[in-house]
Amino acid sequence: MTGKSKEVVNWLIKTKWLLSLLAAIFLAGGICARYLISHNQPLKEAAGALFDALFIATFLAIAVDPILKQLFFREATKDIFSFIYGYSLPPELRSFVNDVILKETVIRRQCCLKWTIQSIRDNADKVALLLDASFSVENFTNENRKYEHKVVAWSDSPTDVGSVEDLYCQDQVTHKQQYHIKKGDFKVDAEGYIHGKEINLPPKGTNSAPLYRMGAHYYSESGASGLDQFTFFETTVDVEVVVTVDDGLQELMFSISPQLEGVPDKIKPELDGASGTYRCCWAFKKVFVQNETIVIRWQPTP
């Protein structure tokens, strides 16, 4: 909670205590007006009625007004969302926004897709691809949520080489591994999805940064001219793509989809002084929703 938020909360608490004190004073005043003021005083009934009115008004401000305001804002919010995301959209888009965006409770942030492309000995027609796909996960509701990371490796044909090598989850505060599951110990469901261990996600605001970072390593093979892709299973923002090539492959030309504005359609890997490797990098600030993909393609320089 920020300093300004704490000030607001403290002010609300003080205001509620002040109203409670005023209610008690007005109640006592009404009792005194009725039982302690002489019957001969002409203002006795008027004073009693005034204190009763003040007590009722204060009580309503304490007990009823917050509830009515909460209900009002809840209904108003529904109408606003319906207007923004509903009335102005065709039915198909309205359903998409409701199911894919408004029902989300978890978001992935700082996603990093790191491809390493290597030559295969004795096979110049193919390359090996290693992909490390990692992200931070954030629960943006006000309640604890159970979360389970799941992945899958797609193959277009039985002869394709493609597999998930491991899954991992790290606590970003303690830097300890929550789990590291290697191939052979996977839990696979009926649809072929590989599941990590269930973890508890605290509500947004409990920590200054997302608590967990998780990911998976993939292995596949493709042609010397080929492609690879990554599909998003959940809403994801801030995606970085890094492609590092093995020695001898720095003449490959790479392209990416979706294409970034202001970036050439095809680029060659450049030498990175820090790592001494040839790489291409792209940064996406857009939002990726469920089932969207990033596709990288490569081909030898003409």
Side-chain angles (χ1 to χ4, degrees):
M1 185 180 292
T2 64
K4 184 172 290 186
S5 300
K6 290 182 180 179
E7 290 179 7
V8 173
V9 171
N10 291 333
W11 179 82
L12 291 173
I13 294 173
K14 291 178 182 177
T15 302
K16 194 167 184 178
W17 277 107
L18 178 59
L19 290 174
S20 301
L21 178 61
L22 289 175
I25 292 173
F26 294 145
L27 179 61
I31 294 173
C32 292
R34 280 184 165 75
Y35 295 101
L36 299 182
I37 298 178
S38 172
H39 290 284
N40 298 327
Q41 294 293 330
L43 297 179
K44 175 180 179 178
E45 291 301 325
L50 176 62
F51 279 114
D52 287 347
L54 291 173
F55 169 73
I56 293 171
T58 309
F59 175 78
L60 292 175
I62 298 172
V64 179
D65 187 59
I67 297 175
L68 292 178
K69 283 182 178 178
Q70 185 177 9
L71 292 174
F72 169 76
F73 283 122
R74 186 181 300 168
E75 294 302 318
T77 301
K78 287 181 181 178
D79 291 339
I80 291 170
F81 273 101
S82 295
F83 178 77
I84 295 176
Y85 297 111
Y87 302 144
S88 60
L89 295 176
E92 297 84 358
L93 290 181
R94 193 182 312 163
S95 176
F96 170 79
V97 171
N98 183 66
D99 294 339
V100 177
I101 298 178
L102 297 184
K103 290 184 179 180
E104 289 284 354
T105 60
V106 172
I107 189 170
R108 296 180 179 184
R109 296 187 180 276
Q110 302 158 351
C111 177
C112 189
L113 304 177
K114 294 182 178 180
W115 271 280
T116 301
I117 302 181
Q118 302 174 338
S119 303
I120 297 179
R121 183 179 298 178
D122 300 328
N123 193 342
D125 296 329
K126 281 196 170 185
V127 293
L129 296 100
L130 310 175
L131 170 60
D132 177 9
S134 64
F135 57 88
S136 299
V137 61
E138 181 180 281
N139 167 21
F140 57 84
T141 70
N142 294 321
E143 301 176 348
N144 288 316
R145 297 283 179 183
K146 297 295 184 182
Y147 181 80
E148 194 174 57
H149 180 207
K150 66 177 184 179
V151 300
V152 68
W154 300 106
S155 296
D156 293 329
S157 71
T159 59
D160 285 347
V161 176
S163 64
V164 180
E165 299 299 299
D166 62 12
L167 274 77
Y168 60 88
C169 175
Q170 184 183 56
D171 187 315
Q172 296 194 123
V173 176
T174 63
H175 301 291
K176 292 182 178 179
Q177 291 281 356
Q178 293 296 304
Y179 62 78
H180 185 190
I181 308 173
K182 296 183 178 181
K183 185 167 60 175
D185 297 324
F186 289 151
K187 180 176 71 174
V188 184
D189 63 22
E191 297 179 345
Y193 288 98
I194 300 167
H195 292 254
K197 294 182 179 179
E198 188 176 72
I199 61 173
N200 180 62
L201 288 182
K204 177 184 178 182
T206 303
N207 299 281
S208 58
L211 181 59
Y212 296 109
R213 185 164 189 86
M214 54 189 63
H217 290 98
Y218 303 81
Y219 177 83
S220 61
E221 294 180 1
S222 185
S225 294
L227 64 83
D228 199 13
Q229 67 181 33
F230 180 84
T231 301
F232 296 93
F233 287 158
E234 294 170 324
T235 302
T236 305
V237 296
D238 295 331
V239 179
E240 180 186 19
V241 178
V242 179
V243 176
T244 302
V245 298
D246 204 0
D247 291 343
L249 299 177
Q250 60 265 34
E251 295 301 318
L252 291 176
M253 297 292 293
F254 286 87
S255 62
I256 195 166
S257 178
Q259 188 176 345
L260 285 167
E261 185 177 354
V263 177
D265 293 349
K266 297 179 180 180
I267 60 176
K268 288 177 61 176
E270 295 183 353
L271 181 63
D272 176 62
S275 63
T277 59
Y278 285 88
R279 59 175 56 185
C280 305
C281 299
W282 299 266
F284 294 86
K285 296 302 180 183
K286 70 183 294 290
V287 177
F288 289 89
V289 298
Q290 184 179 0
N291 293 325
E292 278 196 285
T293 61
I294 282 182
V295 182
I296 60 167
R297 296 178 174 86
W298 61 90
Q299 62 184 27
T301 303

